[in-house]
């Protein structure tokens, strides 16, 4: 347990939850259909919104070999960023980055799924058509629940997209670092495309397109926080709120071990320091004399 609690907090938490939820789901102990992202169940006024699906969709891996590889890739590049990247030097920076990625991935994937089903000639869903997003414009072909389970797990889980986003940012920070991908070694700049190609080969085009939303999210973060402020003269509107810093133990003078050295939390900004008050007595200044008199 001491080893676990010494790991980077955000990466260890997501990885541990992903292993637990996926193991319970793929062994049949829980029904993952209640945890995947289905837009009609989240953004609705006809029933109580199932908001937990927004978070749990990032905690479900692919079955079989994916339950090992997906958490591995997630932790490998997430912890590398959380510990070593100068982008996230202050407590809570990586948490805000992860929340930004999750928001963009969710929105992008929702739009993609709607457009995809709107232009599909047939949608394989059982039960009530209104329970599934964007299928009312297309004919319905009835299939078994087993077939639907594969379709939903392929399109409505976002852990692979989050892993790809971590890998993209990691590659931006370390473009020439050598990484090993199974038995192949190459520069890290090619890592995101290798992960995307692997998903395309193993799971098909729909899963690869859903995973590609991670590239969109990571590049948008890079553009808003680095490219636009540095080269476009714009302002960086993505910052870490003080309350988030406090969640991660930001105290004046606190030391953090980073991959590039030890970082110390700065003191309270001047505009947040207590304002000094006068007591009514003016200071007694001595007579002014020139130096040497």
């Amino acid at each position: 347990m001491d080893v676990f609690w010494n790991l980077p907090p955000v990466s260890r938490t997501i990885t541990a939850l992903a292993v637990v939820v996926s193991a319970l789901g793929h062994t049949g102990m829980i029904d993952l259909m209640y945890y995947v992202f289905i837009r009609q169940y989240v953004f609705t006024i006809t029933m109580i919104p199932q908001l937990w699906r927004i978070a749990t969709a990032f905690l479900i891996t692919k079955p079989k070999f994916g339950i090992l590889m997906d958490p591995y890739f997630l932790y490998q590049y997430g912890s590398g960023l959380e510990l070593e990247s100068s982008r996230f030097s202050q407590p809570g920076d990586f948490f805000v980055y992860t929340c930004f990625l999750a928001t963009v991935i969710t929105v992008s994937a929702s739009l993609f799924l709607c457009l995809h089903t709107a232009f599909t000639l047939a949608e394989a869903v059982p039960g009530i058509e209104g329970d599934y997003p964007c299928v009312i414009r297309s004919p319905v072909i009835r299939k078994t629940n087993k077939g639907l389970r594969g379709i939903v797990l392929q399109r409505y889980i976002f852990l692979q997209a989050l892993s790809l986003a971590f890998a993209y940012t990691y590659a931006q920070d370390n473009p020439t670092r050598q990484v090993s991908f199974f038995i192949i070694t190459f520069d890290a700049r090619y890592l995101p495309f290798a992960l995307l190609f692997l998903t395309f080969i193993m799971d098909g085009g729909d899963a690869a397109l859903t995973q590609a939303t991670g590239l969109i999210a990571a590049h948008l973060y890079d553009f808003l926080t680095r490219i636009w402020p540095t080269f476009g003269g714009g302002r960086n509107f993505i910052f870490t709120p003080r309350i988030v810093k406090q969640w991660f133990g930001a105290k004046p003078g606190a030391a953090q071990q980073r991959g590039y050295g030890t970082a110390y939390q700065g003191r309270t900004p001047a505009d947040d320091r207590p304002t000094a008050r006068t007591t009514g007595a003016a200071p007694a200044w001595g007579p002014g004399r020139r130096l040497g008199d």
Side-chain angles (χ1 to χ4, degrees), residues 97-138:
Y97 160 77
T98 304
C99 291
F100 177 87
L101 295 181
T103 301
V104 177
I105 288 171
T106 302
V107 174
S108 302
S110 300
L111 295 175
F112 158 68
L113 291 169
C114 285
L115 292 175
H116 182 271
T117 53
F119 289 99
T120 300
L121 294 180
E123 182 70 19
V125 293
I128 302 174
E129 289 87 338
D131 289 342
Y132 301 93
C134 305
V135 299
I136 58 175
R137 298 184 183 179
S138 57

Side-chain angles (χ1 to χ4, degrees), residues 247-276:
W247 291 347
F248 288 86
K251 297 180 180 179
Q256 286 186 307
Q257 295 300 323
R258 312 290 294 184
Y260 49 82
T262 303
Y264 292 92
Q265 178 66 23
R267 297 187 178 275
T268 306
D271 54 347
D272 296 328
R273 295 174 186 167
T275 304

Side-chain angles (χ1 to χ4, degrees), residues 145-223:
N145 286 334
K146 183 177 180 181
L148 174 67
R149 182 184 180 88
I151 293 171
V152 170
L153 290 182
Q154 192 176 59
R155 297 183 184 176
Y156 295 87
I157 58 176
F158 304 143
L159 185 144
Q160 293 78 30
L162 184 62
S163 299
L164 186 64
F166 286 168
Y168 179 86
T169 305
Y170 183 87
Q172 292 292 309
D173 287 354
N174 310 277
T176 60
R177 176 177 291 187
Q178 295 292 297
V179 296
S180 296
F181 190 74
F182 293 101
I183 61 174
I184 305 174
T185 301
F186 49 81
D187 289 345
R189 63 166 61 95
Y190 304 113
L191 176 63
F193 307 103
L195 292 173
L196 195 60
F197 180 73
L198 179 65
T199 299
F200 177 78
I201 294 298
M202 297 183 64
D203 301 316
D206 284 350
L209 286 174
T210 302
Q211 187 183 28
T213 58
L215 283 180
I216 298 173
H219 183 71
L220 182 60
Y221 181 87
D222 185 54
F223 177 81

